[in-house]
Amino acid sequence: GRATATVVEVISHNVGVVLWGLAVMGEGLDGSLVGLIDLLAARVLEVREKLTPKDKLQLHQWLLSCELDLVSGASLPSSAARVKQELGEECLQAFSSQGTRESQFQRDVALALRTAVSEVEIEEEYRDARSGYSIDVLVRRRSAAGSTEWAVEVDGPSHFLYDSRTPSGSTLLKRRQLGELGYTAVAVPYWEWNDLEGKGEEELRRYLQAKLRIDQVSQAPPSSP
């Protein structure tokens, strides 16, 4: 009735954030939401000329979520496939071109990692080509059997809900998608780092090695993303 039509109208005018919300929740590829996905995808194509930069960022993360959540051998729903075909590259470019700003917190963690972990390569602000994500600190260990890659995210207060230690939707989505891309996602939250202040290099080393589970990983066959 009229109430349903009103809800649909509101959703269709906020299509980017709705699809992004589905990605955060890991929803959207099961049968129960196919009708909603078709409606939203059609709306995206209708208003493509009016999409804002933020819309494109959100659509990219939703399309990436659709791809990463697929069961092996499956294909994207036709509606999502059409959005990807017509807008996917544009949205990826918008996502990849976002500027990054390295904080002192991030520089401190990267420096400590170089000291704490041996026989690894460390790269700050590494850009993953497939997803467009900028990884705060990439730690890579190579071996004859392959390589292991840790995506270390240095999480300041803006990565959490206001006045809490609960990760924001953006933070949760990035962590999950980095894991699905094959990285070992590692979070270094600001309060844990602050607690280490003044405790010395040995304490920092133990903390970071525990975060990377370095002893366990070094004994197990490495995996590649």
Side-chain angles (χ1 to χ4, degrees), residues 28-49:
L29 292 181
D30 62 8
S32 64
L33 293 176
V34 167
L36 176 61
I37 296 299
D38 284 340
L39 182 151
L40 294 173
R43 181 62 178 170
V44 167
L45 296 170
E46 287 174 9
V47 301
R48 60 186 301 169
E49 300 301 326

Side-chain angles (χ1 to χ4, degrees), residues 11 13-21 44 54-55 58-59 62:
I11 288 176
H13 280 89
N14 297 276
V15 63
V17 72
V18 174
L19 288 170
W20 178 84
V44 167
K54 185 175 182 179
D55 287 331
Q58 292 169 330
L59 286 172
W62 170 67

